[in-house]
Structures are given as structure tokens and as C-alpha cells.
Amino acid sequence: MHKTSAWPLFLLYGGLLVYASVFPFAEWRDQGLSPLAYLWHPLPKYWTAFDVWINVLGYLPFGFLLTLSGLRTGRVRHAVAVGALAGALMSLLMEATQSYLPSRVPSNLDFALNAAGAAAGAALAYALEQLGALAHWNRVRERWFVAQARGGLVLIALWPVALLFPTASPLGLGQVMERLEATLVDWLVDTRFLEWMPMREVELQPLLPGAQLLCVALGALAPCLLGFCVIRGGRRRVLHVAAVMAAAVGVTGLSSALSFGPANAWDWLNFPTRLGLGAAAVLVVPMVFAPRRLCAAVALLALGLCLGVLNQVSSGPYFEQTLHTWEQGRFIRFNGVVQWLSWLWPYAALVYLLTLLGTREVKA
């Protein structure tokens, strides 16, 4: 039996909810009230339809994924009950925790809507089970993917989400060196360890067009090859390439629209970027029928080279301004979770590929 991808996705989504609920993790204080006192407060007088939907939809995947993973046990009703109740308990705890944060206001309405969202997600998973959709998905997965595909599928599913966060170069996930150095300097100020920091002879320079072309090509090639590691050969891999290219263009366009407005949604699609996407499409063709181990090795090389180039250049002042806007949660209310995913996705993919290459069961 295949291991379900719903369980690791549920854990990741649960972590996302915790992060979004207790951000910014600062200025904790005790008001002298019970953390559950909000349950007996009057309902909020001011709320919008957006508030309702964001609270319901925010917890719907939580209940859906937990129920989906529980359905594998065969105890359908038990899985549905656990999915709904776990969502309600999660919301109860998160709202109670917000009682200790001055920037957050616990709400009994939010709790009720979150619980309703989790219950709706559990009900949706149950409905799909009863309609036979999950059994159909299992058959599709058997035809499309190798047995141990869970890790790769999770990474592939998260890649478009990581692209939502703006990057200095299109598809340039994992550019962390500049900010990491600045953070370390801030931590080591007024300590003797500051002298241990390496000094650059030349400041980081902006990304040149040729380097941008290379990063775009490698940034598109890596998820294609990652998919080849878990997708069976033939036309399925070709369809995966088409899906990756469509997601790369569509999600990056959406991110640009959120950052700079709909009128500027396609400004990023300049000549070097178009050449890079075209180069990735050409380079991936000979790999369509390649063995899984070779695909993993080339994907590892592509990610390593892309990260090496990206982390040797400066992000630039306009990107820093955009980054500051997103970090304030102007567009997405998950307060930096997408940012962390954008930074860490390539490194998680590197670990997965190294593990895959070290597994003897990896065959053509």
C-alpha cells in the first residue's frame, strides 16, 4: 500500500496555522484573565464577509487532510470525527494563546468559524470517499507514480505555493545568504564573535541578464526532474513538464500582480526569463525517458548550481521594498509562512534528492 501524502501535508498545514495564529511571537503578557474567557464574550459587532470566509477556508484543509489520512485505516466515521474535533480543538488552543499576545484579539466568532471550516473539510473528505473519488485517485496514483512517491509529491505540491512569495529572480527560490549574513551580524553585534564573520572584498552585485537566464532555466528544470523521480515514464512526464511550466508562469504572474498591481503582472517575463523558460523546455526533453536515479542526480546538480548563483548576488533595493511589504502581511495573512517556504523549499528538495540517491530501491 502506498503511503498517503495527506499526513505530511497535514503536519505542514498544522504548522502553518500555528505560525499564522501566534505571529509575531513578541511582547507576551498575562492579563490576569482565563485564556478561555473569550468564549463567553459577546459576539463581535464588526465583521466582514472576508473575515468569515478566511476563517472557514483557513481551517477547511486542516480537517480535510487529517480526515483523508485517517480514511486509510478503514474507520471512516472515526476519521471524520477526529478531523472535525481536532480542528475545533486546534482553534480553541490558538484563540486561547492569542490572549497572551497584545497584537492579537481572541474571538469566539473566529473559533466557531474555524471549527465549522474543519468540520466542512472532514465532511468533504467523507463525501469524496463515498463517491469513490479517493479510490479513483488511488488507481490513478498507481498508474502514474512509483510506490515510494510521498516525499516527492509533497515537494511538488508545495513548489507553486513557494513561488507566491516574490523573488529577486523569477523562480529563484532559496536566496538566503544575504539576509542570513545580515541576521548573523545583528546577533553578533557587541560580541567578540563578530570578528569571526568573513569579510567580503567585493559587495554582492545585482543579477546580470545571463545569470538570470541560467537561474530561470535551472529553477524550472529542477521541479520537472523532481517529478521525474516519482512519475513513471512516457507521456505522463511530458504532461508534468507542461503543468510545471504553466504553474511557473501563472503563479509568478499572480505574485507579481499582488506585489505591483495587475497592470504589472507580466513585467517579470522579460527576454532573459523567456529564454530561460525555453532553455528549460529544451533541456528537459532528453530526460523524459531517463532513469529515476539519473533524473535525481541531474536535479541535484541543477538545484545546487542555481543556489550557488543566486546566493552570490544582491537582491536589489526594489526587491527589498517588495519583501518588506509582504512581510507585513499586506497580501497574504499567513505572515511570512510563504516566505519561509520560498527560502527553504530548494534545501528540502536537496535533502530529498540526496536521500533518494542513497536508496538502493531507486530504479528506472
Side-chain angles (χ1 to χ4, degrees), residues 24 27 52 72 113 135 139-140 165 225 228 248 258 293 317 332 351 364:
E27 300 180 7
V52 173
R72 286 277 185 168
L113 293 172
R139 292 192 294 270
V140 170
F165 196 74
L225 296 177
F228 291 0
L258 292 174
R293 187 179 292 277
I332 292 186
V351 172

Side-chain angles (χ1 to χ4, degrees), residues 221-241:
L221 185 63
C224 291
L225 296 177
L226 180 63
F228 291 0
C229 295
V230 296
I231 298 174
R232 301 186 188 278
R235 62 182 180 85
R236 302 177 183 87
R237 289 185 173 183
V238 176
L239 292 175
H240 171 67
V241 172

Side-chain angles (χ1 to χ4, degrees), residues 64 68 71 125-126 128-139:
F64 177 78
L68 204 60
L71 290 175
Y126 175 75
L128 292 176
E129 168 71 18
Q130 295 302 302
L131 292 172
L134 298 184
H136 177 69
W137 161 248
N138 288 333
R139 292 192 294 270

Side-chain angles (χ1 to χ4, degrees), residues 327-347:
E327 287 174 343
Q328 300 306 311
R330 178 178 174 185
F331 301 116
I332 292 186
R333 292 195 170 190
F334 288 136
N335 292 305
V337 173
V338 178
Q339 170 183 323
W340 281 100
L341 187 58
S342 174
W343 285 345
L344 298 180
W345 187 91
Y347 303 99

Side-chain angles (χ1 to χ4, degrees), residues 182-202:
T183 301
L184 286 175
V185 169
D186 289 341
W187 286 353
L188 299 178
V189 165
D190 299 327
T191 71
R192 64 181 62 183
F193 297 106
L194 184 62
E195 300 175 358
W196 295 13
M197 288 289 295
M199 300 296 292
R200 292 185 179 272
E201 296 182 1
V202 180

